[in-house]
Amino acid sequence: MLKNIKKITLAESIREALVLSMKKNDNVILVGLGVDDPKGIFGTTKDIDKIFKKERVFDFPTAENAMTGISIGASLLGMKPVIVHQRVEFSLLSLEQIINQAAKWFFMNGGTKSVPLVIRLIIGRGWGQGPQHSQSLEAIFAHIPGLKVISLSTPYNAKGLLISSIEDKNPVIIFEHRWLHEIQGEVPKKYYKIPLGKAKVVKKGTDITLVSSSYMVIECLRSAKILKSYSIDVEVVDIQSLRPLDIQTIMNSVKKTKKAIIVDNGGINFGISSEIIARLYENFSNKEKSICKIERIGPPDNPIPSTRELAKYCYPNYLDIIKKTEKLLKKKFKNLEKYKDNIPLDQPNKDFMGPF
Amino acid sequence: MLKNIKKITLAESIREALVLSMKKNDNVILVGLGVDDPKGIFGTTKDIDKIFKKERVFDFPTAENAMTGISIGASLLGMKPVIVHQRVEFSLLSLEQIINQAAKWFFMNGGTKSVPLVIRLIIGRGWGQGPQHSQSLEAIFAHIPGLKVISLSTPYNAKGLLISSIEDKNPVIIFEHRWLHEIQGEVPKKYYKIPLGKAKVVKKGTDITLVSSSYMVIECLRSAKILKSYSIDVEVVDIQSLRPLDIQTIMNSVKKTKKAIIVDNGGINFGISSEIIARLYENFSNKEKSICKIERIGPPDNPIPSTRELAKYCYPNYLDIIKKTEKLLKKKFKNLEKYKDNIPLDQPNKDFMGPF
Amino acid sequence: MKISKSIKIKLFREMLRIRLIEQTIASKYHEAEMRCPVHLSVGQEAIAVGVCQNLKKNDKIVTAHRSHAHYLAKGGSIKKMLGELYGKVTGCAKGLGGSMHLIDLNAGVFAAVPIVGSTIPIGTGIAWANKLKKKKEIVAAFFGDGATEEGVFFESLDFASLHDLPILFVCENNEYSVYSHISKRQSSKRSISKIANSFGIESLQIDGNNIEDIFLETKKIIDKVKSKSKPFLIELKTFRYLEHCGPNNDDKLNYRTNKYLNLWKKKCPIINYQHHLKKYNYLTTKEIEKMNMKIRAEIFHAFNFAKKSKFPEKILLKKYIYA
Amino acid sequence: MKISKSIKIKLFREMLRIRLIEQTIASKYHEAEMRCPVHLSVGQEAIAVGVCQNLKKNDKIVTAHRSHAHYLAKGGSIKKMLGELYGKVTGCAKGLGGSMHLIDLNAGVFAAVPIVGSTIPIGTGIAWANKLKKKKEIVAAFFGDGATEEGVFFESLDFASLHDLPILFVCENNEYSVYSHISKRQSSKRSISKIANSFGIESLQIDGNNIEDIFLETKKIIDKVKSKSKPFLIELKTFRYLEHCGPNNDDKLNYRTNKYLNLWKKKCPIINYQHHLKKYNYLTTKEIEKMNMKIRAEIFHAFNFAKKSKFPEKILLKKYIYA
Ligand SMILES: Cc1ncc(C[n+]2csc(CCOP(=O)(O)OP(=O)(O)O)c2C)c(N)n1
Ligand SMILES: Cc1ncc(C[n+]2csc(CCOP(=O)(O)OP(=O)(O)O)c2C)c(N)n1
Ligand SMILES: [Mg+2]
Ligand SMILES: [Mg+2]
């Protein structure tokens, strides 16, 4: 491994982005319940309070709505608050501030002041977390003009996208899937940026395109690997930016492979995949419309149950993607069973034993 | 006009639904800021406080979040609160209670108790209302399993759908467009229901389908009327129920006409039209995919400005629909200008002179 | 403390100016060129003026839907305000915001939004940034009695108290939230000032129609907020003359009793102060007339400016979505 | 008032039972069959028992993430609770909710959710319905010190006070919200009881580890809430023994000082009460042992029941989306 690159977890890469941003810009402050606690938000803010002055790592009362409004206020004086919610559900208490205020501030004040604010929202499944701690609500935010909505998937893009988000002058919502904090990847040590608003082809291929974001990118890559042994060459596109949506990159891939599965993290109804499918067809020629085949997968249309025996039906994985691929390509892959791993669906890794 | 039918405004028909429901069921109560005030929520609750006991028409402090939680609590003991927010934006303060609690209550408590609650959300444009008083945020709610999401368009369906919503055992979100309160239509005097979850073909036709909801249904009907003089026979489908979405009725119409414009009330990105387009293509045969033509129209992807000179670009109307139709049918309609009415875009009728 | 003649005249002039601007808006509203809601401040001018006269230019205010008086009292540009009401590109928000989004960064008017209560945390956040940046400036957050019912109000008090933020919370209690009297919304045993105290915030009730009381009390309080970096809450009872939203008098709707109306109409902060100034010879009738004339001239020009200004170009719709 | 022997024993037994259940959960948690978060109530049993012993079966409670003690003290079924923790169809929410959604309508346990503060308005709404329906039942809403920071808490107090709702607000102040000490979240000059007063709600601070005080005081208070239909708030200082969420002791993390831990560990409500009962001959060591045995047998059977129960069928996913 090169000296200027190291292998770290996504949690560590987020932490690096935060530390580097705070070093570079005195106005960057961390805000959220537990940002300075011993667990440091799944490790992403761990011990940052020991590097910087106390006032820059701001534990907050359980008052999400005011926390957001207060951060907006601070941002108007040049501060760059980075808020974090340990569960996306908590942020619902602050949607008034996010949707009515932050998203529209620049516009409704005639371009006089924008709200440079980053809000990290942790999504995803977990150890029997149940209906109120396991939603993936990206679609709600992606619907709102004035927000930028980013979704992380690898340690590499986490660092670059978070740094860009902190440098951005607008309110940026960042989705972090709980299952990703512990995955490892190579990350440059330096301060680097990945532009917001761009999708990325994370694996090239010619037979079928998998379009996805956040944790589902990992499942897509897993299925791509397996499909390779069946001689299917999969292209995987990581959406990365849900708003603005880089439909062009997705489009280019789908026009090439003629087949696509849109793999949604959250509910598909009125979800992220709906918009992508709509845009694709809107941009297709008549011929493409009839030859391109597009399907989607996502959690079923119900709240997420706590019990693992039912939660397992709610998180499509690489096998489901492969089965969808079989259907789409009208093929039958033999001995798929052998690719079944035995990591239970409620553990991000084998060592994980709850409770959170 | 028949004795058992009368011509009334949509506001009056809502009021009738409320009064009849309250007469039929003592547990129905009205809740919201200003429900008993002289204006009575655009006339929809006017003087109802004089018909029923004070405790059944409940003015509330400006505390939308508690109002929702309190109504959920009351509903657990058998009350049927009907909440109203004069602007959908105010309800953003209560999304935690709506999305985490009401929508999931029945599911997460294993089917022991549901939350029979109706929440009326007033949407739409207005007299320079500006960015925080003119959003149409249906898509946020339509994304959430456990909610039923209804959109009114005529005095007739308003009454029937509202009565059904009040009888329903689940949390029902009802969208009322401010521009509709004053439109007139024939409404049976009796207590009648329109089933939730069903779209409706409001005008039959063979050449093109317009799919829409809420106020945009009116614009669709207007354009249908004009298009008739160009010998275009338009079918208009009123979605009525955004969740569950009756894709079948929409599908049947589009399969028949082979051409459709989905006319969105709110932003099209990650919006209502996205899901409809996605579902249509998912259900099309290959052949249908290539011959059916689907387009969509909606407000542009920016916050709604206050000034009328820019707001006018934010509300597509019958003329925009007609122009889209020209494009889709590859026709050119002559002398379209003569159909231009002169009602300014910020007035629901000629007498309206603000301020709300 | 005694108030000097020049300050007395200034206080009066400022109130009068706001009143005349508001009345002109009301009288021209029927022309249907100001096509946006207006929440007029007629009757409540003393609070805006009394508080803002003690604020420095760099001090900031945040306000809500009923913001004209605050905006003007803090030094916001009348031309830009009217431009905004007329939906013109010369408006303070280039016509995009409308009457409910007055902003003038030069004058320290940092936020006005119509979602009740929502600028209270935003003002608190500005005060927080001031503290973090060690600036000796303060924030005054104006809001109504209705706004004190929103959860975010309490959350903001809590945070301001916890971190000793230099902010003055100004509750203009006109006893009404739209048509709802306070007794329908708040327990008679509730008290906004006591609520502040229970969060560890000092508070004071001041007569909202007595300009000199307001001026003198807030002078002391603002000094304290600045020097000690502590939040403070003042509650001022007052009265709104016109309808909640719009240019008209709506007394005929009877949601406010005649007794109530008569009582309050006697307490007009401007008429009473004018009596006082005349009685004690601070101003003559003639001087007052001259003052009126001058203000009217300013208003006339500002309206002309707004009316003649251009509407914004379509391109603005896209230009200001992202910074 | 004096407490009869039988009641003393009952109070003790109830606390002991909850403690033993929680400890058994903790000890079995590593088997990884209860695959959901658990927020154990060890140390806080006195509050649940002291309050709930004064509630009738028809009275209702609402609680939050740390709900086991309340659920059990109010008479919730242990089998259904454990079934829920094991994710089984015999659980009180058929396994769909998990540990953070305990409900037992028969016992009057109406709501438990992990969104901090969110059942406070729901409890208030139940009290409102009771009042509208002229029922003489009351609601006790349990919540932590952290929950008193949420806006909706204040909004609920406001409404309960305005409409004189028969509800007892019970704030279990264990000084921590996850790892955050109250001093990082609330001003030292803030007081929950005074906040209640400022809304017009009577309040009382009670030692949360003294079962007899809690029992006697809440008896009087609950009578008052019922007879006068008035809200009341009690604040009880107490101590959580284990980690915020999970089965372990996390003292090694040092977010709570040793001094603090030692001080509070001496105040164990159960050990102290056991001493008292033994000292004054209400219970002998032998009787206590027997009591332990009986409770352990009940727990053993309940765990067996839960473990042996079936998981829910897939069809439930669709069955309970809509009623
Ligand atoms: C969150 C929210 N709820 C409701 C409204 C509707 N509304 C507009 S102004 C107003 C009255 C607020 O009363 P108060 O704060 O006392 O201000 P005043 O109008 O008396 O100056 C209300 C309820 C709103 N704008 N925002
Ligand atoms: C709205 C919301 N914000 C944050 C959280 C994360 N959280 C879970 S429990 C908890 C602690 C709450 O403290 P307190 O109310 O004192 O209860 P305790 O755990 O001490 O019993 C927090 C902050 C949450 N569940 N909900
Ligand atoms: Mg008021
Ligand atoms: Mg606590």
Side-chain angles (χ1 to χ4, degrees):
Chain A
M1 199 173 303
L2 289 167
K3 239 186 102 189
N4 49 358
I5 290 188
K6 57 185 172 179
K7 198 160 186 168
I8 55 176
T9 65
L10 185 135
E12 285 163 337
S13 91
I14 288 178
R15 190 177 173 283
E16 275 195 15
L18 295 174
V19 169
L20 291 177
S21 297
M22 290 174 78
K23 282 192 177 150
K24 196 177 160 94
N25 182 346
D26 281 348
N27 287 321
V28 176
I29 47 178
L30 306 186
V31 179
L33 281 69
V35 279
D36 62 351
D37 79 21
K39 296 282 169 76
I41 317 289
F42 304 108
T44 59
T45 62
K46 197 163 161 57
D47 291 335
I48 296 189
D49 57 310
K50 281 161 201 147
I51 308 178
F52 298 97
K53 273 190 292 182
K54 220 181 79 203
E55 309 99 76
R56 298 188 62 192
V57 187
F58 234 91
D59 191 17
F60 220 90
T62 323
E64 287 78 3
N65 196 14
M67 178 161 77
T68 311
I70 287 170
S71 297
I72 291 173
S75 82
L76 295 177
L77 281 208
M79 305 303 297
K80 295 232 168 187
V82 181
I83 294 181
V84 60
H85 293 284
Q86 303 220 27
R87 295 281 179 281
V88 66
E89 283 84 356
F90 309 159
S91 75
L92 297 183
L93 286 161
S94 61
L95 281 195
E96 193 287 306
Q97 289 288 339
I98 296 174
I99 294 179
N100 289 334
Q101 312 301 340
K104 300 176 176 55
W105 202 268
F106 190 61
F107 183 93
M108 75 193 176
N109 289 306
T112 46
K113 269 256 177 250
S114 70
V115 171
L117 183 68
V118 175
I119 304 181
R120 297 171 46 204
L121 299 178
I122 295 173
I123 54 171
R125 59 173 91 167
W127 188 255
Q129 298 274 306
Q132 298 187 337
H133 277 53
S134 52
Q135 294 167 86
S136 291
L137 297 172
E138 292 94 317
I140 290 181
F141 297 86
H143 183 54
I144 306 299
L147 297 180
K148 295 191 177 178
V149 182
I150 301 301
S151 183
L152 311 179
S153 55
T154 66
Y156 175 77
N157 81 4
K159 183 168 168 184
L161 288 169
L162 181 51
I163 286 177
S164 294
S165 301
I166 294 173
E167 283 203 6
D168 203 275
K169 290 194 181 125
N170 303 286
V172 183
I173 311 291
I174 297 192
F175 284 93
E176 287 170 35
H177 195 289
R178 165 88 190 75
W179 251 217
L180 290 172
H181 284 128
E182 291 162 63
I183 61 155
Q184 298 219 331
E186 293 189 357
V187 176
K189 287 186 189 163
K190 66 166 193 244
Y191 183 92
Y192 65 94
K193 289 182 273 181
I194 297 177
L196 308 184
K198 294 271 169 245
K200 189 178 171 186
V201 178
V202 290
K203 183 192 165 304
K204 285 210 177 284
T206 51
D207 295 332
I208 183 171
T209 301
L210 302 178
V211 180
S212 185
S213 66
S214 187
Y215 174 69
M216 290 316 283
V217 175
I218 308 294
E219 295 286 346
C220 287
L221 289 169
R222 278 165 115 178
S223 59
K225 216 166 164 182
I226 296 169
L227 284 165
K228 199 171 171 194
S229 51
Y230 294 98
S231 304
I232 308 292
D233 189 15
V234 178
E235 180 146 314
V236 179
V237 181
D238 182 350
I239 309 170
Q240 285 194 140
S241 172
L242 303 170
R243 171 174 281 269
L245 180 68
D246 176 10
I247 196 68
Q248 198 53 54
T249 299
I250 300 169
M251 178 68 65
N252 293 345
S253 174
V254 179
K255 287 200 175 187
K256 183 178 73 178
T257 63
K258 310 277 188 296
K259 275 152 240 102
I261 302 174
I262 322 296
V263 184
D264 223 317
N265 254 301
I268 59 175
N269 282 314
F270 302 95
I272 299 298
S273 57
S274 322
E275 177 66 17
I276 293 174
I277 295 183
R279 287 260 172 244
L280 287 175
Y281 279 108
E282 283 179 331
N283 282 294
F284 280 155
S285 67
N286 280 353
K287 195 170 157 220
E288 282 163 344
K289 276 185 194 154
S290 70
I291 53 172
C292 291
K293 290 196 195 318
I294 304 175
E295 295 266 352
R296 54 177 164 168
I297 303 188
D301 199 30
N302 50 253
I304 306 293
S306 170
T307 180
R308 61 189 178 284
E309 273 306 307
L310 296 187
K312 73 181 179 197
Y313 300 116
C314 298
Y315 299 111
N317 65 9
Y318 61 103
L319 283 176
D320 300 296
I321 298 168
I322 294 172
K323 280 175 205 150
K324 213 30 151 200
T325 311
E326 278 187 313
K327 201 187 132 198
L328 209 82
L329 301 181
K330 299 217 176 81
K331 303 224 165 177
K332 188 79 203 133
F333 304 135
K334 282 193 195 125
N335 300 323
L336 259 181
E337 312 74 48
K338 75 172 173 215
Y339 292 104
K340 211 165 163 176
D341 70 17
N342 283 316
I343 301 181
L345 268 168
D346 58 356
Q347 290 170 286
N349 59 54
K350 272 165 275 166
D351 305 331
F352 183 88
M353 290 291 261
F356 257 108
Chain B
M1 200 172 301
L2 289 167
K3 236 186 103 189
N4 49 359
I5 290 187
K6 57 185 171 179
K7 199 160 185 170
I8 56 176
T9 66
L10 186 133
E12 285 164 335
S13 92
I14 288 178
R15 189 176 174 284
E16 275 195 16
L18 295 173
V19 170
L20 290 178
S21 296
M22 290 175 79
K23 282 192 178 151
K24 195 176 160 96
N25 181 346
D26 282 347
N27 287 320
V28 176
I29 47 178
L30 306 187
V31 179
L33 281 67
V35 279
D36 61 351
D37 79 22
K39 296 280 169 79
I41 318 289
F42 304 108
T44 60
T45 63
K46 196 161 162 59
D47 292 336
I48 296 190
D49 58 310
K50 281 160 200 147
I51 308 178
F52 298 97
K53 273 190 293 181
K54 217 181 81 203
E55 308 100 77
R56 298 188 63 191
V57 187
F58 233 92
D59 191 17
F60 220 90
T62 323
E64 287 78 2
N65 196 13
M67 177 160 77
T68 312
I70 287 169
S71 297
I72 291 173
S75 82
L76 296 177
L77 281 208
M79 305 304 294
K80 296 233 168 187
V82 181
I83 294 180
V84 62
H85 294 284
Q86 303 218 30
R87 294 284 178 282
V88 65
E89 284 84 354
F90 310 159
S91 75
L92 297 182
L93 286 162
S94 61
L95 281 194
E96 192 288 304
Q97 289 287 338
I98 296 174
I99 294 180
N100 289 333
Q101 312 302 338
K104 300 175 175 57
W105 202 267
F106 190 61
F107 183 93
M108 75 191 177
N109 289 306
T112 45
K113 270 258 179 249
S114 69
V115 170
L117 183 67
V118 175
I119 304 181
R120 296 171 48 203
L121 300 178
I122 294 173
I123 54 171
R125 59 173 91 166
W127 188 256
Q129 298 274 307
Q132 298 188 336
H133 277 53
S134 53
Q135 293 167 86
S136 290
L137 297 171
E138 293 94 318
I140 290 181
F141 297 86
H143 184 55
I144 306 299
L147 297 179
K148 295 191 178 178
V149 182
I150 301 302
S151 184
L152 311 180
S153 56
T154 65
Y156 174 77
N157 82 5
K159 182 168 170 184
L161 288 167
L162 181 52
I163 286 177
S164 293
S165 301
I166 294 172
E167 283 203 8
D168 203 275
K169 291 195 180 123
N170 303 286
V172 183
I173 311 291
I174 298 192
F175 283 93
E176 286 170 36
H177 196 291
R178 166 87 190 74
W179 252 217
L180 289 172
H181 284 128
E182 291 161 61
I183 61 155
Q184 298 219 330
E186 293 189 357
V187 175
K189 289 187 189 164
K190 67 166 193 246
Y191 183 93
Y192 66 93
K193 289 183 272 183
I194 296 176
L196 308 184
K198 296 269 168 245
K200 190 178 171 187
V201 177
V202 290
K203 180 189 169 308
K204 285 211 179 283
T206 50
D207 295 332
I208 183 169
T209 301
L210 302 178
V211 180
S212 186
S213 65
S214 188
Y215 173 69
M216 290 316 285
V217 175
I218 308 294
E219 295 286 345
C220 288
L221 289 169
R222 278 166 115 179
S223 60
K225 217 166 164 181
I226 296 170
L227 284 164
K228 200 170 170 195
S229 51
Y230 295 98
S231 304
I232 308 293
D233 189 15
V234 178
E235 179 144 316
V236 179
V237 181
D238 181 350
I239 309 170
Q240 284 194 142
S241 171
L242 304 170
R243 173 174 280 269
L245 179 69
D246 176 9
I247 196 68
Q248 198 53 55
T249 299
I250 299 170
M251 178 67 66
N252 293 345
S253 174
V254 179
K255 288 201 176 191
K256 183 179 73 178
T257 63
K258 310 277 188 296
K259 276 154 240 97
I261 302 173
I262 322 297
V263 184
D264 223 318
N265 254 302
I268 61 175
N269 281 315
F270 302 95
I272 298 299
S273 57
S274 323
E275 177 67 16
I276 292 174
I277 294 183
R279 287 259 173 247
L280 287 174
Y281 278 109
E282 284 179 332
N283 283 293
F284 280 155
S285 67
N286 280 353
K287 195 171 156 217
E288 283 162 343
K289 276 185 194 156
S290 69
I291 53 172
C292 292
K293 290 197 196 319
I294 304 175
E295 296 265 354
R296 53 176 162 168
I297 302 188
D301 199 30
N302 51 254
I304 307 292
S306 169
T307 180
R308 62 190 178 284
E309 272 306 306
L310 296 187
K312 73 181 179 198
Y313 301 116
C314 298
Y315 298 111
N317 65 9
Y318 61 103
L319 282 175
D320 301 295
I321 298 169
I322 294 172
K323 281 175 204 150
K324 214 27 154 200
T325 310
E326 278 187 313
K327 199 186 134 198
L328 208 83
L329 299 182
K330 300 216 174 81
K331 303 223 166 179
K332 189 80 204 132
F333 304 136
K334 283 191 194 126
N335 300 324
L336 258 182
E337 311 74 48
K338 75 171 174 218
Y339 293 104
K340 212 164 161 176
D341 69 19
N342 284 316
I343 300 181
L345 268 168
D346 58 356
Q347 289 172 287
N349 59 57
K350 272 164 277 166
D351 305 330
F352 183 89
M353 291 289 264
F356 258 108
Chain C
M1 212 186 97
K2 272 190 70 181
I3 303 184
S4 70
K5 177 175 171 182
S6 67
I7 288 188
K8 278 181 188 261
I9 294 175
K10 196 161 183 199
L11 293 175
F12 176 68
R13 192 187 184 287
E14 286 291 308
M15 290 198 294
L16 181 66
R17 177 171 176 265
I18 295 171
R19 172 74 53 97
L20 293 177
I21 293 170
E22 295 287 71
Q23 285 176 340
T24 316
I25 293 171
S27 73
K28 289 187 187 294
Y29 196 76
H30 71 276
E31 296 170 2
E33 286 187 60
M34 287 176 270
R35 289 167 96 96
C36 58
V38 285
H39 300 81
L40 300 180
S41 313
V42 178
Q44 307 189 182
E45 300 89 346
I47 301 170
V49 172
V51 172
C52 290
Q53 278 297 319
N54 288 311
L55 295 176
K56 298 260 181 321
K57 198 174 172 206
N58 280 337
D59 292 329
K60 315 222 173 332
I61 65 164
V62 298
T63 162
H65 54 289
R66 197 175 308 289
S67 60
H68 299 183
H70 311 132
Y71 174 94
L72 293 167
K74 185 66 177 63
S77 149
I78 175 176
K79 285 185 176 175
K80 290 186 177 178
M81 171 175 140
L82 293 176
E84 196 59 33
L85 266 60
Y86 278 86
K88 301 298 178 71
V89 71
T90 53
C92 55
K94 302 203 172 62
L96 299 179
S99 71
M100 307 192 287
H101 296 280
L102 299 186
I103 184 171
D104 189 330
L105 300 181
N106 284 332
V109 183
F110 255 56
V113 310
I115 306 291
V116 168
S118 290
T119 51
I120 302 177
I122 293 174
T124 306
I126 298 174
W128 184 42
N130 273 335
K131 181 154 186 194
L132 291 173
K133 289 178 174 269
K134 300 200 170 51
K135 288 199 185 167
K136 274 279 165 222
E137 299 158 11
I138 74 154
V139 177
F142 292 90
F143 48 87
D145 49 303
T148 71
E149 294 152 12
E150 288 289 358
V152 81
F153 165 63
F154 306 104
E155 294 181 357
S156 302
L157 288 186
D158 235 357
F159 190 78
S161 174
L162 174 63
H163 292 295
D164 290 327
L165 302 184
I167 179 167
L168 177 65
F169 295 104
V170 185
C171 176
E172 295 186 28
N173 183 350
N174 61 12
E175 296 193 26
Y176 280 83
S177 169
V178 195
Y179 302 104
S180 297
H181 187 250
I182 195 164
S183 61
K184 284 175 69 189
R185 301 175 283 115
Q186 300 174 14
S187 161
S188 58
K189 285 166 288 171
R190 177 199 205 260
S191 146
I192 296 169
S193 324
K194 270 197 233 143
I195 287 173
N197 298 157
S198 68
F199 282 104
I201 295 179
E202 265 191 89
S203 67
L204 189 70
Q205 292 187 315
I206 310 176
D207 176 352
N209 284 23
N210 186 325
I211 181 69
E212 294 205 346
D213 273 9
I214 301 171
F215 176 74
L216 289 174
E217 292 294 350
T218 56
K219 180 170 238 39
K220 286 183 279 181
I221 291 167
I222 285 170
D223 279 350
K224 202 162 162 180
V225 170
K226 273 196 188 167
S227 61
K228 303 216 167 156
S229 185
K230 289 261 156 121
F232 202 106
L233 180 143
I234 54 177
E235 179 193 353
L236 308 102
K237 279 254 176 85
T238 184
F239 172 70
R240 139 168 85 68
Y241 268 68
L242 302 178
E243 59 189 338
H244 165 68
C245 178
N248 303 310
N249 174 311
D250 68 350
D251 292 350
K252 62 183 183 305
L253 289 178
N254 286 324
Y255 63 99
R256 305 190 290 191
T257 64
N258 271 331
K259 198 177 140 201
Y260 173 86
L261 294 171
N262 292 334
L263 187 81
W264 274 102
K265 286 184 177 170
K266 281 192 207 114
K267 296 200 207 172
C268 172
I270 299 178
I271 297 180
N272 288 344
Y273 202 46
Q274 179 166 321
H275 277 311
H276 166 86
L277 295 183
K278 271 166 51 172
K279 186 164 160 198
Y280 296 101
N281 297 319
Y282 291 104
L283 278 176
T284 63
T285 307
K286 218 168 167 177
E287 283 168 325
I288 292 173
E289 248 166 49
K290 221 172 117 189
M291 191 184 278
N292 265 279
M293 296 270 286
K294 259 182 102 170
I295 295 172
R296 281 185 199 284
E298 182 199 8
I299 296 174
F300 178 80
H301 289 299
F303 270 90
N304 263 358
F305 169 83
K307 286 188 173 202
K308 285 193 190 140
S309 293
K310 291 216 176 74
F311 284 110
E313 310 267 326
K314 188 174 174 189
I315 189 171
L316 290 203
L317 282 181
K318 295 301 162 207
K319 191 167 168 192
Y320 294 133
I321 303 178
Y322 296 112
Chain D
M1 212 188 97
K2 272 191 68 180
I3 303 185
S4 71
K5 177 176 170 181
S6 68
I7 288 189
K8 279 180 186 260
I9 293 174
K10 198 163 179 196
L11 293 174
F12 176 69
R13 193 187 183 285
E14 285 290 308
M15 289 198 295
L16 181 65
R17 177 171 175 265
I18 295 170
R19 171 73 54 96
L20 293 175
I21 293 170
E22 293 288 73
Q23 285 176 340
T24 315
I25 292 171
S27 74
K28 288 186 188 296
Y29 196 75
H30 70 277
E31 295 171 3
E33 285 187 61
M34 287 176 270
R35 289 167 98 96
C36 58
V38 284
H39 300 81
L40 300 180
S41 313
V42 177
Q44 308 189 183
E45 300 89 346
I47 301 170
V49 172
V51 171
C52 290
Q53 278 298 317
N54 288 312
L55 296 176
K56 298 260 180 320
K57 197 174 172 205
N58 280 338
D59 292 330
K60 316 226 173 327
I61 65 165
V62 299
T63 162
H65 55 288
R66 197 174 309 288
S67 61
H68 298 184
H70 311 131
Y71 174 95
L72 293 166
K74 186 64 176 65
S77 150
I78 174 176
K79 285 184 174 173
K80 290 186 177 176
M81 169 174 141
L82 293 175
E84 196 59 33
L85 267 60
Y86 277 86
K88 302 299 178 71
V89 70
T90 54
C92 56
K94 302 203 171 66
L96 300 179
S99 71
M100 306 191 289
H101 296 280
L102 300 185
I103 183 171
D104 189 331
L105 300 180
N106 284 332
V109 183
F110 254 56
V113 311
I115 306 290
V116 169
S118 290
T119 52
I120 302 176
I122 294 175
T124 306
I126 298 174
W128 183 43
N130 273 334
K131 182 155 185 194
L132 292 173
K133 289 176 173 271
K134 302 203 168 52
K135 288 199 186 167
K136 275 278 166 220
E137 299 159 10
I138 74 153
V139 177
F142 291 91
F143 49 86
D145 49 303
T148 71
E149 295 153 11
E150 287 289 357
V152 80
F153 165 63
F154 306 103
E155 293 181 358
S156 303
L157 288 186
D158 236 357
F159 190 78
S161 173
L162 175 63
H163 292 294
D164 291 326
L165 303 184
I167 179 166
L168 177 65
F169 295 104
V170 184
C171 176
E172 295 186 26
N173 182 351
N174 61 12
E175 296 193 25
Y176 279 85
S177 169
V178 195
Y179 301 105
S180 298
H181 186 250
I182 194 165
S183 60
K184 285 174 68 189
R185 300 176 283 115
Q186 299 174 15
S187 160
S188 58
K189 287 166 288 172
R190 176 199 205 260
S191 146
I192 296 167
S193 325
K194 269 197 236 142
I195 287 173
N197 297 158
S198 69
F199 282 104
I201 296 179
E202 266 192 88
S203 67
L204 189 71
Q205 291 188 314
I206 311 176
D207 176 352
N209 283 23
N210 185 325
I211 180 69
E212 295 205 346
D213 274 9
I214 301 170
F215 176 75
L216 289 175
E217 292 293 351
T218 56
K219 181 171 237 41
K220 284 182 281 181
I221 291 167
I222 285 170
D223 278 352
K224 202 162 163 181
V225 170
K226 274 194 188 170
S227 61
K228 303 215 168 159
S229 186
K230 288 264 157 121
F232 202 106
L233 180 144
I234 54 177
E235 179 192 355
L236 308 102
K237 278 255 176 83
T238 183
F239 172 70
R240 141 169 83 69
Y241 268 69
L242 303 177
E243 59 188 338
H244 166 69
C245 178
N248 302 311
N249 174 311
D250 67 352
D251 292 350
K252 62 182 183 306
L253 289 179
N254 287 324
Y255 63 100
R256 303 190 291 191
T257 65
N258 271 331
K259 198 178 140 197
Y260 173 87
L261 293 171
N262 292 334
L263 187 81
W264 275 101
K265 285 185 178 170
K266 281 191 207 116
K267 297 200 208 171
C268 172
I270 299 179
I271 296 179
N272 288 344
Y273 202 45
Q274 179 166 320
H275 277 312
H276 166 86
L277 295 183
K278 269 164 55 171
K279 186 163 160 196
Y280 297 100
N281 297 319
Y282 290 106
L283 278 175
T284 63
T285 307
K286 218 165 165 179
E287 283 168 323
I288 292 171
E289 246 166 51
K290 222 173 116 187
M291 191 184 277
N292 264 280
M293 296 271 286
K294 260 183 102 169
I295 294 171
R296 280 186 199 285
E298 183 199 8
I299 295 174
F300 177 81
H301 288 299
F303 270 90
N304 263 357
F305 168 83
K307 286 188 175 203
K308 283 192 190 140
S309 292
K310 291 215 176 75
F311 284 109
E313 310 266 326
K314 189 175 175 188
I315 189 172
L316 289 204
L317 282 182
K318 296 300 162 206
K319 192 167 167 191
Y320 294 133
I321 303 177
Y322 296 114

